[in-house]
Amino acid sequence: MKNSEIAKVFSDIADLLELKGENVFKVRAYQKVVRSIEHLPVEIEQMVKEGRSLREIPGVGDAIEKKIIELVTTGKLPVYEELKTEFPKGITTLLEVPGIGPKTARLLSTELDIGSIEELEAAIVGGQVARLYRMGDKTAENILHQIQALRRKDQRIPLGEAMAVVDEITARLKDVPGLRNLIAAGSVRRFRETIGDIDMMGTADDAGKVIHAFTSLPQVTEVIASGGTKASVIVAGGLQVDLRIVEHEAFGSLLQYFTGSKEHNIVIRERGRRQGLSLSEYGITDLKTGWLEKYASEEAFYGRLGLQYIPPEIREGGAEIDMAAQGRLPGLVEMGDIKGDLHVHTSASDGRDTLEAMARAAKEHGYEYVVITDHSKALGMAHGLDTERVKQQKAEIEGLNRKIGGIRILSGMEVDIRADGSLDMPDEVLAGLDVVVASVHSGLTEGEEKMMRRITRAIENPNVDIYAHPTCRLLPGREPAAVNMEALFQTALRTGSALEINASPSRLDLKDVHIYRARELGVKLVMSTDAHSTEHFGFIRFGVGIARRGWCEAKDILNSKPLDEFLSSLKKGGV
DNA sequence: GCCGTTTTCGGCCCGACTGTTTTCAGTCG
């Protein structure tokens, strides 16, 4: 039984206990265990087999350990089965509707015998819901509204799209008098690859004025909530944006609170509690004296708790907090560490801008080197290069290196990996290039065995330095190909090949958890934008963001090294 | 149900907004 399945059972138990009106702390204990299991790096089934104690999992005590073992070994949990019989089947689905919590779900179930969203909808339309105690026309209408929103709800949107909305809102609000520190917090600041909603925050002399300006933005299609210090709206496209405003002196604690993650904040607050401190978005209250201390910076806020500053990208409520307490957090990679882009297209294949324009843009970006990697000829659609055009481009690059100066332009290619794992360019041509990037663009639905044979053969080729966008997924929509990541990492280690962190917001591939694992194993990593136009060089910020989520330091990324050192760290140069 | 640099018992993260009340319960993030 997988961890995710175990977590689901305990999450259901927590819901059912809550519906039953059980002690809220007992419910919370179950919820805490669910979070622990979801973040566990090892399979519980394995631990049970090896006879390891489950008590080392945070939140697991005597009672829950017994339940987990019973569930894993027998596949069943009588307590759970019993609980389920106490309520109509499907009642927990009511909890999926925003605005319906355990109390309301229970009320609906006992008073109106509702056990599904369809039945609920009918009861609202029929007027029965509005007549319930402490309900009313407005509440019923809101629930109906939420049900409809749930039906047409889009999946989480890619980080890149969310960032565009943030930039637009920021531009429109920046002139509101007295507003300072406007910034996107939440999952945008933590660089999660997809975003559920956008959390913005700022400080102001007059919060009301900012809230008013915010809810009046032209892109706002609906105001969900609006109070003195916070508001929630829906913008065009159906995305929810929350804004919260506090006084200037409390910016640090607000930013910390609003950045999350929720799990991180819960652990931080529990920690504060043990130190006799109560944490909130307004600051830290000493529980003995009742005195509230405000924090203008996050550094000071974490410092008060005896913690190193924790970068937003790794605030997940896991190992980061203990590491920060011991002062052992790594210095994560930063934008300025990246010395060159290694995956760049020009108008010679499917890029928009010329080789010269791309080279100059890379120089303006502050890079020491850039590798030009147009497609090979198999990609007819992309106007891929054949042997002859590769030769021409090499000559063009030599000319540009004399002409531009201040940046070293390297010759390269994104060579296509064919269905049988052979490369779409003769070895002698590849051997003459500075850097060779290989990737898959077709046959993405192959089964794992065939896909792995294909990839393995390609990266075993001594000319291939980098294997690009390893899983070929696209955000949103295209699922990753059937790549066995652990096997890929081993092959990369064995052959000395580097894996790409593709920074394009529609790829982000490798993704954060893969990066974390690859780094742990010592696999060589590079970071590239896959730029198809000059402005795409800016994508590097997304790459840095997810690399930080994978706990990468500069030393873990080959193209953070100066040119000579970088070249000799590649497969061709290194062996 | 879990847990301990105050505690093996008595706590458990914190505050805002809404709708329905007439002081607050429920929900959310």
Side-chain angles (χ1 to χ4, degrees):
Chain A
M1 182 174 274
K2 285 188 161 173
N3 284 357
S4 55
E5 297 169 78
I6 300 170
K8 172 75 169 70
V9 169
F10 282 86
S11 171
D12 278 353
I13 292 176
D15 280 347
L16 291 166
L17 289 175
E18 201 168 14
L19 284 164
K20 209 174 157 181
E22 257 292 357
N23 178 318
V24 290
F25 297 110
K26 185 169 170 179
V27 173
R28 193 176 295 167
Y30 277 92
Q31 290 168 339
K32 182 175 176 167
V33 165
V34 170
R35 286 196 304 272
S36 284
I37 294 175
E38 283 170 344
H39 284 102
L40 212 60
V42 291
E43 288 294 322
I44 287 181
E45 188 161 8
Q46 192 63 29
M47 293 176 73
V48 172
K49 267 186 201 151
E50 292 168 6
R52 274 168 71 185
S53 168
L54 304 178
R55 300 289 293 268
E56 60 190 85
I57 302 170
V60 174
D62 202 30
I64 292 187
E65 179 179 41
K66 282 203 183 85
K67 289 191 176 75
I68 295 179
I69 292 176
E70 181 168 13
L71 179 62
V72 170
T73 51
T74 69
K76 283 215 154 186
L77 195 54
V79 195
Y80 176 45
E81 302 302 327
E82 261 169 54
L83 265 175
K84 281 199 286 192
T85 64
E86 293 181 35
F87 295 95
K89 205 166 169 348
I91 186 175
T92 50
T93 61
L94 298 181
L95 297 172
E96 290 166 20
V97 180
I100 295 186
K103 296 285 164 52
T104 310
R106 189 175 173 203
L107 187 70
L108 292 167
S109 164
T110 54
E111 295 294 313
L112 301 175
D113 200 28
I114 290 172
S116 74
I117 290 180
E118 288 70 28
E119 288 170 17
L120 172 59
E121 197 171 14
I124 293 172
V125 174
Q128 295 102 297
V129 172
R131 284 195 291 274
L132 294 175
Y133 177 66
R134 266 192 169 274
M135 302 288 276
D137 286 338
K138 203 134 187 184
T139 305
E141 198 183 310
N142 281 344
I143 293 173
L144 189 61
H145 195 75
Q146 290 293 348
I147 291 173
Q148 288 158 354
L150 201 64
R151 290 225 172 94
R152 58 165 193 271
K153 190 167 183 182
D154 297 316
Q155 47 197 159
R156 294 169 67 90
I157 66 165
L159 175 63
E161 285 177 34
M163 207 68 98
V165 174
V166 167
D167 290 345
E168 215 178 287
I169 292 175
T170 306
R172 287 204 178 260
L173 287 182
K174 72 179 188 325
D175 295 329
V176 176
L179 172 62
R180 296 213 303 256
N181 298 320
L182 185 66
I183 185 178
S187 46
V188 171
R189 185 164 180 243
R190 301 201 316 278
F191 277 86
R192 279 204 52 181
E193 64 187 34
T194 61
I195 305 298
D197 54 28
I198 294 175
D199 300 305
M200 300 202 58
M201 43 157 296
T203 66
D205 313 317
D206 182 354
K209 205 181 276 178
V210 181
I211 297 292
H212 178 72
F214 174 66
T215 54
S216 315
L217 287 172
Q219 52 269 71
V220 169
T221 58
E222 187 190 336
V223 178
I224 300 174
S226 176
T229 63
K230 67 182 263 192
S232 294
V233 304
I234 303 289
V235 296
L239 185 65
Q240 180 169 332
V241 185
D242 298 337
L243 174 68
R244 186 128 177 191
I245 299 293
V246 291
E247 52 187 334
H248 305 299
E249 301 75 43
F251 181 62
S253 39
L254 177 71
L255 183 57
Q256 195 286 324
Y257 160 77
F258 225 168
T259 296
S261 64
K262 189 179 177 181
E263 289 74 19
H264 175 87
N265 284 353
I266 289 174
V267 179
I268 290 277
R269 286 174 182 200
E270 282 170 354
R271 189 186 161 83
R273 267 273 149 188
R274 290 198 298 272
Q275 297 170 311
L277 304 170
S278 169
L279 281 50
S280 82
E281 55 266 52
Y282 299 108
I284 297 177
T285 305
D286 187 319
L287 290 170
K288 268 201 194 114
T289 63
W291 174 255
L292 171 74
E293 197 163 334
K294 295 176 183 173
Y295 294 85
S297 80
E298 283 188 323
E299 285 80 358
F301 186 89
Y302 281 107
R304 176 66 182 88
L305 301 170
L307 298 173
Q308 249 180 315
Y309 172 75
I310 302 176
E313 295 89 342
I314 60 171
R315 294 182 195 169
E316 293 294 334
E320 79 275 11
I321 292 156
D322 282 342
M323 297 273 277
Q326 298 161 21
R328 289 173 50 219
L329 284 180
L332 302 180
V333 60
E334 292 174 16
M335 292 264 282
D337 293 324
I338 304 300
K339 301 278 197 299
D341 204 324
L342 313 180
H343 187 162
V344 171
H345 295 272
T346 76
S347 50
S349 64
D350 63 347
R352 193 197 67 191
D353 296 309
T354 63
L355 174 51
E356 177 162 359
M358 294 303 280
R360 288 192 186 279
K363 182 182 171 181
E364 264 170 49
H365 214 83
Y367 286 144
E368 186 183 333
Y369 47 92
V370 61
V371 186
I372 304 300
T373 56
D374 276 309
H375 289 289
S376 60
K377 64 182 188 309
L379 289 191
M381 242 167 39
H383 196 222
L385 276 56
D386 57 17
T387 306
E388 185 52 35
R389 291 178 66 213
V390 170
K391 217 159 129 192
Q392 287 170 14
Q393 190 176 61
K394 269 187 78 176
E396 192 185 346
I397 287 172
E398 279 171 29
L400 273 179
N401 268 321
R402 287 191 292 273
K403 181 174 162 189
I404 297 181
I407 183 167
R408 176 72 185 281
I409 310 160
L410 300 172
S411 65
M413 158 153 280
E414 181 181 11
V415 62
D416 194 59
I417 299 173
R418 297 197 192 109
D420 63 355
S422 64
L423 300 175
D424 181 35
M425 187 59 59
D427 280 339
E428 58 273 22
V429 177
L430 296 177
L433 297 169
D434 295 316
V435 180
V436 173
V437 176
S439 61
V440 169
H441 293 97
S442 56
L444 299 173
T445 53
E446 283 297 350
E448 179 177 309
E449 201 180 325
K450 197 161 174 201
M451 185 59 83
M452 289 312 294
R453 264 207 311 274
R454 182 180 180 189
I455 298 171
T456 303
R457 182 176 168 198
I459 59 183
E460 278 174 348
N461 185 311
N463 292 306
V464 172
D465 299 298
I466 298 164
Y467 172 57
H469 45 73
T471 75
C472 295
R473 64 132 174 211
L474 287 181
L475 294 168
R478 189 164 85 200
E479 291 300 307
V483 179
N484 179 330
M485 299 311 289
E486 202 64 26
L488 173 66
F489 296 151
Q490 293 304 332
T491 308
L493 278 173
R494 175 168 58 80
T495 59
S497 311
L499 299 183
E500 180 184 78
I501 299 168
N502 189 297
S504 165
S506 57
R507 290 201 184 265
L508 301 182
D509 179 16
L510 301 172
K511 65 179 195 173
D512 49 13
V513 293
H514 296 152
I515 296 169
Y516 188 94
R517 179 65 181 153
R519 178 192 50 77
E520 218 172 34
L521 292 171
V523 174
K524 290 182 193 171
L525 294 168
V526 300
M527 187 190 301
S528 305
T529 63
D530 204 347
H532 282 71
S533 69
T534 53
E535 55 266 30
H536 287 176
F537 283 113
F539 287 165
I540 200 72
R541 67 167 161 159
F542 298 114
V544 171
I546 57 164
R548 288 167 66 87
R549 288 183 63 81
W551 290 58
C552 277
E553 302 178 60
K555 68 173 172 57
D556 300 316
I557 311 289
L558 298 189
N559 49 321
S560 67
K561 300 174 190 297
L563 180 60
D564 288 347
E565 219 177 302
F566 160 67
L567 285 173
S568 63
S569 68
L570 290 175
K571 191 201 282 182
K572 281 195 297 242
V575 187

